[in-house]
């Protein structure tokens, strides 16, 4: 079992109001699954993804990642998990604007303490796997949206994480580019990686093998498709 | 094996982040040339002034000490009252009996620890013009002295000789020129044996001094010495001040000399028991200590004043770093998502701040030393690079970055990664 979540809640307090953004979720994800999380806006998809990605800790409940309880870790330990176990892909790419593609890809390796020559080698390798060898020296503003997202995907994979989390990775792309990105994810999944992806679009969700629907912070349905 | 590998990686890892943070700092500074440049200039100016001041002061201090405590043997300086002391009514002190050649002779006969005793007459700032044929000097001081003057003040004679005791006893009109008047009157000639004029009297030049390169007014290059007897005969004035200089034999301690001279002078000046001294003994050691404390004190005040300037620079750093942090909120979020710990972020901004001020510091050190060298050339004192102050200046300027960068860096490190990631 790669991920086991039980009774997880995230409660935001805004003034006197309490918002249960995640209102008690139980979920298990196996290694090499390819999961889509869907649901209406405000249903808690992003909040749940942040919990899975150890960017945030749950208000209640337990979260085991790779057999390790991670819901009560210190900030430093969470940083270490994010570095080693998790690869993030964001809707808005979130690349460092002044850094080249290669430097962006190297970022997790720096915080992982990998020496420079090995970093360079691994960044080259993973940039090649997303088809951007010739763009390694380009900065984000010299790349198209699809290329930027591929750099972000390369960055997410470079530390060989246990799981890749993508929050609406095609949300800022046109549909043709979106399809290109999805086939890249397909390839990554086939290489043995585990992917959890938030999406609004049905045709994107169709690439995945399991669709979980959220409503008001709870799982409404969980359907395996492949 | 595995555990070793992990430790190895962890140790290495720290270095990787450090390097990245430094590289990043340089990059950010280069990207924001204008604001970084202004700040660096600000810090550089601060460091320049501090360092130039310290260098000039320490050189000046050494120089003054070398001039005043010029004899390379311990000596005593005796005047009617403490030359540096205040408090007493000066007119009262001036009414005291002058030191005289009788006191000198008395000491020469009775003082076991005294090596040589010199009497000199200080014209108290009165100046004269020396003439030779068409040439004339500026206004200079002409002092009267025994033949021991040269020994007393470690004078190097370049041409000729100092006058002798014999000549002094007979109040011969002989003169030893300082480097300044010798050069003025005899630019390309040998001054020895020439007769120069002061007022209406002719004096034979028997010696000319080598330059002392001094910055002090009184005993520098611009003066001439005649025998005290001749002085009294031709140049004497009621404002003159008689002083004594005594060198102590090497086998005696300075304190022993002071004690003996003290007792003998009281006898020579016929002071009854319980009667107050009518002379004051300063030792070379006392001069040295006093000068050292004065220069240290002045340096300290200057450093404190210019440090305030640097503190203002520190506030500039804080301001720039706060801007930098808020501009890069999203970057902080990205780094955190990629596994940067809070301490890594903290370090990144601290290094950036310290690099800014440290660069200013380095430039300031360079300019400060250059400025000090210029000043040293101008007023002729030995220029020595105060190594410790260079280190202090650099550490200090880098610390200003660290101290004033602390608050902005902490602000960055405390960010919530999720909020930072979605910051517009
Ligand atoms: N920091 C926060 N403070 C207070 N409430 C929050 C915070 N973050 C999210 N929420 C609330 O939690 C709920 C879930 O938000 P979340 O961003 O997870 O929704 P989502 O499913 O990702 O929506 P979308 O499809 O629009 O991205 C929303 O009602 C939102 O207003
Ligand atoms: Mg969302």
């Amino acid at each position: 079992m790669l991920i086991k979540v039980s009774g997880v809640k995230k409660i935001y307090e805004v003034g006197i109001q309490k918002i249960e953004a995640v209102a008690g979720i139980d979920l298990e994800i196996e290694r090499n699954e390819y999961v889509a999380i869907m649901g209406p806006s405000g249903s808690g998809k992003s909040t749940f993804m942040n919990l899975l990605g150890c960017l945030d800790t749950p208000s209640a409940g337990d979260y085991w990642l790779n057999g390790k309880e991670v819901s009560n870790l210190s900030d430093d330990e969470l940083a270490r998990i994010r570095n080693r176990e998790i690869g993030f892909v964001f809707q808005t790419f979130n690349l460092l604007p002044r850094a080249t593609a290669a430097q962006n890809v190297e970022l997790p390796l720096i915080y992982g303490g990998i020496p420079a020559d090995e970093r360079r080698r691994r960044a080259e390798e993973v940039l090649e796997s997303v088809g951007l060898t010739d763009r390694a020296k380009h900065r984000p503003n010299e790349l198209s949206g699809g290329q930027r997202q591929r750099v972000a995907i390369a960055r997410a994979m470079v530390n060989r994480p246990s799981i890749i989390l993508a929050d609406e990775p095609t949300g800022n792309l046109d549909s043709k580019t979106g399809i290109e990105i999805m086939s890249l994810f397909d390839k990554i999944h086939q290489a043995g990686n585990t992917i959890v992806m938030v999406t609004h679009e049905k045709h994107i969700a169709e690439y995945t093998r399991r669709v979980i629907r959220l409503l008001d912070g709870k799982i409404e349905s969980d359907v395996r498709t492949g | 094996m595995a555990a070793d590998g992990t430790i190895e990686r962890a140790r290495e890892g720290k270095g990787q982040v450090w390097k990245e943070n430094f590289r990043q700092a340089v990059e950010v500074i280069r990207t924001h040339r204008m604001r970084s440049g202004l700040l660096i200039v600000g810090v550089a100016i601060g460091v320049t002034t501090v360092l130039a001041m310290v260098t000039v002061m320490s050189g000046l201090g050494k120089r003054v000490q070398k001039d005043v405590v010029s004899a390379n043997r311990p000596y005593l300086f005796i005047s009617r009252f403490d030359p540096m002391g205040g408090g007493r009514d000066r007119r009262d002190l001036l009414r005291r009996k002058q030191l005289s050649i009788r006191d000198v002779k008395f000491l020469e006969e009775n003082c076991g620890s005294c090596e040589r005793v010199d009497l000199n007459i200080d014209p108290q700032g009165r100046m004269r013009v020396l003439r030779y044929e068409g040439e004339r000097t500026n206004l200079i001081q002409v002092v009267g002295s025994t033949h021991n003057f040269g020994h007393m003040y470690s004078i190097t004679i370049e041409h000729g000789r100092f006058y002798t005791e014999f000549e002094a006893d007979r109040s011969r009109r002989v003169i030893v020129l300082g480097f300044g008047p010798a050069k003025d009157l005899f630019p390309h000639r040998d001054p020895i044996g020439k007769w120069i004029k002061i007022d209406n009297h002719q004096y034979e030049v028997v010696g000319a001094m080598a330059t002392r390169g001094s910055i002090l007014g009184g005993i520098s290059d611009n003066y001439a010495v005649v025998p005290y007897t001749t002085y009294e005969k031709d140049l004497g004035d009621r404002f003159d001040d008689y002083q004594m200089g005594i060198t102590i034999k090497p086998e005696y301690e300075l304190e022993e000399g002071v004690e003996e001279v003290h007792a003998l002078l009281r006898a020579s000046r016929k002071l009854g028991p319980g009667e107050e001294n009518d002379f004051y003994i300063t030792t070379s050691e006392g001069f040295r200590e006093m000068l050292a404390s004065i220069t240290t004190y002045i340096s300290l005040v200057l450093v404190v004043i210019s440090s305030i300037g640097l503190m203002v620079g520190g506030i500039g750093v804080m301001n720039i770093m706060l801007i930098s942090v808020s501009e890069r909120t999203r970057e902080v979020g990205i780094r955190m998502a990629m596994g940067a710990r809070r301490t890594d972020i903290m370090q990144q901004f601290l290094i950036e701040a310290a690099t800014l001020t440290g660069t200013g510091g380095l430039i300031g050190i360079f300019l400060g030393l250059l400025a000090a060298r210029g000043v040293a050339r101008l007023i002729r004192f030995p220029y020595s690079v105060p190594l410790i102050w260079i280190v202090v200046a650099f550490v200090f300027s880098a610390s200003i970055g660290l101290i004033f960068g602390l608050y902005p860096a902490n602000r960055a490190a405390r960010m919530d990664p999720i909020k930072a990631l979605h910051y517009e």
Side-chain angles (χ1 to χ4, degrees):
Chain A
M1 195 66 54
L2 183 62
I3 283 177
K4 184 175 175 359
V5 163
S6 77
V8 154
K9 287 185 180 182
K10 184 70 193 182
I11 300 164
Y12 290 114
E13 289 181 34
V14 182
I16 50 161
Q17 205 186 351
K18 280 190 182 174
I19 299 166
E20 282 201 326
V22 172
I25 288 184
D26 301 298
L27 179 66
E28 291 182 0
I29 296 172
E30 303 279 355
R31 204 169 288 281
N32 200 21
E33 273 200 90
Y34 190 1
V35 183
I37 296 181
M38 300 189 75
S41 186
S43 57
K45 304 182 295 292
S46 294
T47 306
F48 185 55
M49 286 291 267
N50 291 338
L51 291 175
L52 287 183
C54 290
L55 279 169
D56 207 352
T57 47
S59 312
D62 298 312
Y63 174 17
W64 284 270
L65 178 62
N66 250 337
K68 191 177 179 198
E69 166 72 280
V70 296
S71 43
N72 288 312
L73 294 182
S74 71
D75 283 351
D76 278 6
E77 287 166 324
L78 288 175
R80 193 181 159 79
I81 301 270
R82 291 198 292 270
N83 185 249
R84 298 290 157 86
E85 307 286 345
I86 292 155
F88 287 100
V89 178
F90 303 93
Q91 180 177 357
T92 52
F93 321 131
N94 276 333
L95 299 174
L96 297 181
R98 282 187 302 272
T100 63
Q103 284 168 337
N104 266 293
V105 172
E106 281 186 35
L107 199 60
L109 299 176
I110 288 169
Y111 293 115
I114 313 289
D117 44 352
E118 191 184 337
R119 284 205 307 261
R120 200 162 312 120
R121 194 175 52 71
R122 274 166 71 174
E124 261 168 35
E125 203 177 283
V126 70
L127 274 173
E128 193 194 331
S129 76
V130 299
L132 283 179
T133 304
D134 54 339
R135 295 287 189 273
K137 294 258 154 33
H138 289 233
R139 284 168 212 284
N141 62 4
E142 298 158 352
L143 297 170
S144 72
Q147 286 169 335
R148 285 182 213 185
Q149 196 59 301
R150 279 193 277 165
V151 172
I153 292 168
R155 180 179 66 181
M157 297 196 317
V158 74
N159 234 351
R160 300 184 194 113
S162 307
I163 184 164
I164 292 169
L165 300 176
D167 195 345
E168 299 191 49
T170 60
N172 270 22
L173 302 172
D174 61 59
S175 55
K176 183 172 160 287
T177 316
I179 286 165
E180 279 169 27
I181 292 297
M182 288 318 292
S183 55
L184 178 57
F185 272 116
D186 233 15
K187 209 177 95 186
I188 292 166
H189 172 235
Q190 263 145 39
N193 290 290
T194 314
I195 303 171
V196 178
M197 179 183 296
V198 170
T199 182
H200 276 296
E201 293 161 277
K202 221 168 166 310
H203 76 275
I204 295 291
E206 276 164 6
Y207 283 84
T208 67
R209 307 296 157 89
R210 179 180 174 189
V211 178
I212 297 171
R213 288 185 177 276
L214 296 189
L215 186 63
D216 296 334
K218 289 200 174 87
I219 293 181
E220 186 195 33
S221 67
D222 183 350
V223 183
R224 282 171 206 271
T225 54
Chain B
M1 268 313 271
D4 281 7
T6 314
I7 290 165
E8 193 61 34
R9 172 55 54 86
R11 197 180 298 134
E12 232 172 39
K14 263 189 170 166
Q16 298 306 324
V17 175
W18 217 96
K19 266 188 254 170
E20 157 72 6
N21 281 342
F22 188 72
R23 198 190 59 75
Q24 192 66 31
V26 173
E27 171 133 1
V28 169
I29 290 166
R30 275 171 41 191
T31 313
H32 300 284
R33 281 213 179 88
M34 189 65 182
R35 72 180 186 207
S36 310
L38 284 174
L39 183 80
I40 288 171
V41 166
V43 175
I45 289 171
V47 172
T48 304
T49 37
V50 175
L51 201 69
M53 279 177 179
V54 169
T55 312
V56 168
M57 280 313 297
S58 80
L60 213 61
K62 272 187 206 142
R63 180 63 220 229
V64 169
Q65 286 194 20
K66 195 169 150 261
D67 280 354
V68 173
V69 194
S70 54
N72 33 23
R73 58 196 95 71
Y75 72 84
L76 310 181
F77 174 81
I78 297 151
S79 51
R80 279 180 294 165
F81 45 85
D82 183 357
M84 301 295 159
R88 290 282 296 267
D89 183 3
R90 211 175 150 83
R91 266 172 309 175
D92 196 34
L93 294 170
L94 282 170
R95 236 173 268 131
R96 286 177 171 178
K97 197 168 61 175
Q98 292 275 18
L99 291 153
S100 71
I101 194 66
R102 269 205 319 281
D103 296 325
V104 171
K105 294 265 145 78
F106 188 76
L107 283 177
E108 277 178 342
E109 271 157 38
N110 301 298
C111 180
S113 57
C114 297
E115 187 180 41
R116 293 209 208 175
V117 185
D118 170 55
L119 179 75
N120 66 73
I121 309 168
D122 178 357
Q124 294 282 292
R126 269 178 309 120
M127 307 285 219
R128 294 192 162 80
V129 175
L130 277 52
R131 298 165 206 279
Y132 177 74
E133 294 179 351
E135 310 284 353
R136 46 178 295 166
T137 63
N138 297 324
L139 281 167
I140 63 166
Q141 286 208 69
V142 178
V143 304
S145 172
T146 66
H147 65 288
N148 284 328
F149 184 91
H151 168 82
M152 216 39 243
Y153 298 99
S154 305
I155 305 287
T156 313
I157 297 289
E158 199 170 22
H159 303 290
R161 58 177 176 84
F162 212 85
Y163 50 79
T164 62
E165 188 172 12
F166 182 85
E167 286 167 318
D169 284 350
R170 277 159 190 74
S171 57
R172 291 277 161 84
R173 289 206 169 94
V174 287
I175 191 165
V176 178
L177 299 177
F179 182 77
K183 196 181 53 167
D184 290 346
L185 296 180
F186 306 99
H188 305 295
R189 285 169 293 196
D190 182 12
I192 307 305
K194 305 287 189 315
W195 290 81
I196 60 118
K197 267 179 91 170
I198 305 175
D199 298 336
N200 293 319
H201 299 292
Q202 300 253 23
Y203 299 80
E204 185 188 359
V205 179
V206 293
M209 301 175 200
T211 180
R212 287 165 63 84
S214 170
I215 47 152
L216 284 179
I219 305 169
S220 68
D221 284 336
N222 276 318
Y223 71 108
V225 194
V226 298
Y228 68 99
T229 47
T230 316
Y231 183 97
E232 283 174 332
K233 190 167 66 174
D234 296 344
L235 309 164
D237 184 284
R238 68 191 175 89
F239 294 110
D240 291 336
D241 189 41
Y242 284 65
Q243 297 151 359
M244 272 162 88
I246 301 172
T247 50
I248 300 298
K249 287 180 183 157
E251 60 268 32
Y252 287 89
E253 293 292 320
L254 195 61
E255 285 71 34
E256 295 175 305
V258 172
E259 257 174 54
E260 190 177 9
V261 167
H262 178 249
L264 288 171
L265 266 182
R266 282 186 68 88
S268 164
R269 292 166 78 77
K270 305 202 166 52
L271 296 174
E275 217 174 326
E276 192 191 19
N277 282 347
D278 62 353
F279 58 89
Y280 187 88
I281 304 177
T282 315
T283 65
S284 49
E285 190 54 28
F287 268 129
R288 215 184 47 69
E289 276 167 16
M290 186 190 68
L291 285 168
S293 78
I294 289 175
T295 47
T296 310
Y297 182 73
I298 295 176
S299 307
L300 220 69
V301 170
L302 291 177
V303 167
V304 167
I305 291 170
S306 26
S307 300
I308 293 170
L310 277 176
M311 287 297 153
V312 175
I315 296 183
V317 180
M318 183 136 103
N319 190 29
I320 281 189
M321 290 313 296
L322 281 173
I323 294 170
S324 188
V325 166
S326 93
E327 274 179 359
R328 282 147 67 202
T329 301
R330 204 174 173 127
E331 174 187 326
V332 171
I334 295 170
R335 288 178 183 276
M336 284 176 164
M338 297 304 137
R341 294 166 307 159
R342 297 200 185 278
T343 48
D344 295 330
I345 301 295
M346 182 99 180
Q347 196 194 57
Q348 178 184 345
F349 286 99
L350 283 181
I351 289 175
E352 189 178 317
T355 307
L356 272 170
T357 56
T359 307
L362 285 178
I363 295 172
I365 287 168
F366 179 73
L367 292 179
L369 293 181
L370 223 63
R373 227 173 97 164
V375 175
R377 285 255 174 88
L378 217 65
I379 58 177
R380 295 198 294 155
F381 65 85
Y383 163 78
S384 65
V385 177
L387 214 79
I388 178 76
W389 279 101
I390 291 180
V391 176
V392 168
F394 180 71
V395 171
F396 188 65
S397 48
S399 318
I400 281 187
L402 290 180
I403 292 164
F404 287 88
L406 209 59
Y407 174 69
N410 190 48
R411 206 152 138 163
R414 292 280 125 228
M415 281 179 189
D416 173 4
I418 298 166
K419 282 188 187 136
L421 272 169
H422 294 104
Y423 183 85
E424 293 303 327

